[in-house]
């Protein structure tokens, strides 16, 4: 029997524990009624992720997608339809991964530490100066990676609110089937506006303390 996931994520840890209790592999129903498999154990997950037969390219390896059984207005459509390193398969995935890995050498990652610490400290200072009760996920856990990514890719300050709004809706599992599509065009406009000046300027160096 399929297990219907809670799209609000109100208690993801309890839900994950329940899924694990159902066995190593269980059938789940995603938002929008699309079914998938949930892997219950870390060892099984590592084995799957390391298996060359596993693919996230729906155009080549998801029969339901190829046969048109997944509707265009599926709330999670953009998660799957996007073409990037995470959905590429085989040689294309290895090619894109090789390009990205050059930006994440141990030395470059170590150079990021001072400004990641500074972002973290600023967020913690804002929490300390705020009310006694806060939403830790909203005020800290979410803005930290968004700010790191924006600085990593040199997203200008004036475009960051638009990028965050786009990310909010794209990853909102409670959105109605029609909600992600207007946001898709919005995020495209945001990325286009960001990429134009960067094409004419030298690569951004890491901020220094």
């Amino acid at each position: 029997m399929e297990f219907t996931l809670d799209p609000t994520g109100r208690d993801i840890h309890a839900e994950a524990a329940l899924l694990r209790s159902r066995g190593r592999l269980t059938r789940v129903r995603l938002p929008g009624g699309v079914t998938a498999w949930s892997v219950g154990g870390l060892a099984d997950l590592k084995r799957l992720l390391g298996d060359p037969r596993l693919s996230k390219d729906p155009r080549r390896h998801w029969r339901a997608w190829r046969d048109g059984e997944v509707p265009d207005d599926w709330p999670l459509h953009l998660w799957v339809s996007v073409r990037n390193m995470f959905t590429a398969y085989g040689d294309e995935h290895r090619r894109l991964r090789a390009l990205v890995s050059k930006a994440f050498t141990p030395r470059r990652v170590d150079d990021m530490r001072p400004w990641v610490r500074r972002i973290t400290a600023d967020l913690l200072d804002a929490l300390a100066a705020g009310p006694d009760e806060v939403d830790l996920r909203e005020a800290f856990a979410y803005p930290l990676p968004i700010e790191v990514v924006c600085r990593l890719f040199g997203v200008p300050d004036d475009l960051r609110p638009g990028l965050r709004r786009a990310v909010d809706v794209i990853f909102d599992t409670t959105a109605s089937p029609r909600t992600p599509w207007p946001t898709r065009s919005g995020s495209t406009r945001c990325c286009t506006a960001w990429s134009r000046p960067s094409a004419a300027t030298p690569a951004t160096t890491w901020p220094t303390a």
Side-chain angles (χ1 to χ4, degrees):
M1 182 177 178
E2 296 170 356
F3 179 88
T4 300
L5 298 178
D6 178 7
T8 67
R10 284 171 293 194
D11 193 347
I12 58 175
H13 298 293
E15 186 173 64
L18 182 57
L19 286 170
R20 287 192 297 270
S21 72
R22 294 168 64 96
R24 297 170 60 187
L25 200 64
T26 187
R27 194 77 166 171
V28 297
R29 182 173 292 274
L30 303 173
V34 173
T35 58
W37 289 98
S38 172
V39 181
L42 182 59
D44 289 327
L45 185 58
K46 287 182 176 180
R47 190 178 303 113
L48 277 173
L49 292 177
D51 193 318
R53 294 171 297 176
L54 182 71
S55 169
K56 292 199 294 183
D57 185 343
R59 297 164 188 84
R60 296 175 61 182
H61 303 119
W62 188 7
R63 183 197 56 77
W65 185 277
R66 294 198 312 265
D67 293 348
E69 297 175 12
V70 180
D72 289 340
D73 61 357
W74 179 40
L76 307 186
H77 194 286
L78 187 57
W79 295 24
V80 177
S81 63
V82 65
R83 295 176 182 265
N84 59 26
M85 183 184 70
F86 298 106
T87 57
Y89 178 75
D91 291 341
E92 180 65 6
H93 173 77
R94 285 186 285 272
R95 182 186 71 82
L96 294 172
R97 183 174 179 179
L99 293 173
V100 172
S101 64
K102 297 175 183 178
F104 293 96
T105 62
R107 179 177 178 180
R108 297 202 74 181
V109 171
D110 195 57
D111 288 343
M112 294 165 58
R113 294 182 186 276
W115 57 269
V116 173
R117 290 195 182 103
R118 188 161 67 246
I119 294 171
T120 304
D122 290 344
L123 290 171
L124 291 175
D125 288 344
L127 286 174
D132 293 337
E133 294 185 5
V134 297
D135 183 337
L136 190 60
R137 183 166 61 179
E138 175 64 24
F140 181 78
Y142 180 60
L144 176 58
I146 287 290
E147 185 64 19
V148 169
V149 168
C150 284
R151 295 198 186 189
L152 179 63
F153 289 100
V155 179
D157 290 347
D158 61 318
L159 292 180
R160 293 181 187 181
L163 181 62
R164 173 166 179 170
R165 286 193 297 271
V167 171
D168 283 344
V169 178
I170 289 171
F171 290 98
D172 182 4
T173 54
T174 66
S176 68
R178 295 182 180 179
T179 304
W181 296 103
T183 307
R184 183 179 187 180
S185 60
S187 69
T188 301
R189 287 194 300 270
C190 178
C191 291
T192 300
W194 156 50
S195 63
R196 281 172 181 165
S198 63
T201 56
T204 303
T205 56
W206 305 122
T208 55

